[in-house]
């Protein structure tokens, strides 16, 4: 709430002569809400206010706005990777960052090694299974430039017997009690299929 109150005050009082500095708008909510709020804030400052703004974000999808908003430029902190290590060069360079370094920062901060190793495993799995594609451009910009036909899809659809059963289910043929039993059966089946994640023990 504090972040949103501060953001609201900035958006309601900023003028073309303002210098606005915003850091990680939307980080305190869900992925979809966070991206949506950050995205709309960038658009508002660019299209309605027109002031100079420094906007730091961890949402890579927002960097695509530089292709449709003429006054927007991407910059990132230069880093160098060497033998699974990351060295921050303390230099700001043009362009968007090609990846995040949150796990590396966590390691530098002293997070236990077992947590770092497990986080790398989870990250690898998420990158393989769930692709977050860029959002479509805003309607106002779509009039001036053609929008790419892309949409935010965090989880890909998964074929599963239960999903097919739900699609084909005729709700008019079931009483509330029958539906309760049905959902309970599905829940038990899914729990049985769940496999516990393996965690490496610290050496």
């Amino acid at each position: 709430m504090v972040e949103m109150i501060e953001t609201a005050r900035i958006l309601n009082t900023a003028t073309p002569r303002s210098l606005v500095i915003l850091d990680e708008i939307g980080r305190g909510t869900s992925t979809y809400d966070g991206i949506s709020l950050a995205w709309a804030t960038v658009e508002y400052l660019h299209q309605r206010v027109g002031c100079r703004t420094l906007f730091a974000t961890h949402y890579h999808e927002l960097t695509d706005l530089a292709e449709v908003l003429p006054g927007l430029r991407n910059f990132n902190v230069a880093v160098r990777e060497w033998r699974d290590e990351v060295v921050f060069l303390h230099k700001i360079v043009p362009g968007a960052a090609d990846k995040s370094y949150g796990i590396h920062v966590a390691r530098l901060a002293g997070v236990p090694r077992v947590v770092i190793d497990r986080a790398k495993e989870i990250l690898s799995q998420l990158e393989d299974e769930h692709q977050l594609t860029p959002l479509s451009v805003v309607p106002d910009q779509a009039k001036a430039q053609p929008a790419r036909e892309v949409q935010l899809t965090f989880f890909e659809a998964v074929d599963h017997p239960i999903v097919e059963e739900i699609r084909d289910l005729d709700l008019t043929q079931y009483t509330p009690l029958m539906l309760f039993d049905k959902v309970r059966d599905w829940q038990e089946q899914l729990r049985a299929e769940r496999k516990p994640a393996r965690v490496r023990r610290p050496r």
Side-chain angles (χ1 to χ4, degrees):
M1 178 59 75
V2 173
E3 178 191 56
M4 287 298 100
I5 291 174
E6 293 175 347
T7 302
R9 183 180 298 114
I10 290 171
L11 297 181
N12 287 322
T13 60
T15 72
R17 299 184 62 184
S18 299
L19 171 61
V20 173
I21 301 176
L22 292 170
D23 180 31
E24 299 291 6
I25 293 296
R27 63 186 171 186
T29 184
S30 70
T31 299
Y32 293 105
D33 281 357
I35 289 180
S36 300
L37 287 167
W39 188 284
T41 299
V42 171
E43 289 176 356
Y44 184 87
L45 290 169
H46 181 278
Q47 297 171 216
R48 300 289 186 87
V49 181
C51 62
R52 292 183 180 274
T53 303
L54 296 176
F55 192 100
T57 182
H58 64 286
Y59 295 123
H60 292 291
E61 295 73 29
L62 295 191
T63 61
D64 289 336
L65 278 175
E67 300 178 15
V68 295
L69 300 181
L72 191 150
R73 299 291 183 274
N74 288 318
F75 292 89
N76 70 92
V77 179
V79 299
R80 179 165 296 173
E81 296 185 60
W82 183 74
R83 294 185 179 179
D84 199 33
E85 298 288 330
V86 170
V87 179
F88 293 91
L89 303 181
H90 303 282
K91 182 179 180 181
I92 304 297
V93 296
D98 59 351
K99 61 186 295 185
S100 298
Y101 297 96
I103 294 178
H104 293 283
V105 173
R107 180 184 58 77
L108 292 173
V111 172
R113 184 71 189 187
V114 64
V115 175
I116 298 299
D117 291 341
R118 180 58 181 152
K120 290 180 179 179
E121 293 176 358
I122 295 171
L123 176 62
S124 178
Q125 181 179 352
L126 290 175
E127 289 178 337
D128 290 341
E129 297 179 1
H130 309 307
Q131 298 298 321
L132 191 60
T133 58
L135 290 166
S136 58
V137 297
V138 296
D140 289 346
Q141 291 301 317
K143 297 176 182 178
Q145 301 187 34
R148 290 163 295 168
E149 294 296 329
V150 291
Q151 183 178 355
L152 181 68
T153 54
F154 194 69
F155 295 104
E156 298 293 336
V158 178
D159 289 330
H160 192 280
I162 292 180
V163 175
E164 294 299 326
E165 192 172 350
I166 293 173
R167 287 196 186 106
D168 298 334
L169 190 65
D170 184 359
L171 296 178
T172 62
Q173 302 299 316
Y174 288 82
T175 66
L177 183 58
M178 293 168 64
L179 287 173
F180 175 82
D181 291 336
K182 198 72 168 173
V183 172
R184 183 174 56 189
D185 291 341
W186 289 334
Q187 187 179 56
E188 291 176 354
Q189 181 179 340
L190 291 173
R191 285 175 175 171
E193 293 176 1
R194 181 187 302 169
K195 296 179 180 180
R198 297 179 61 187
V199 178
R200 297 179 182 175
R201 295 182 179 276
R203 298 177 179 178

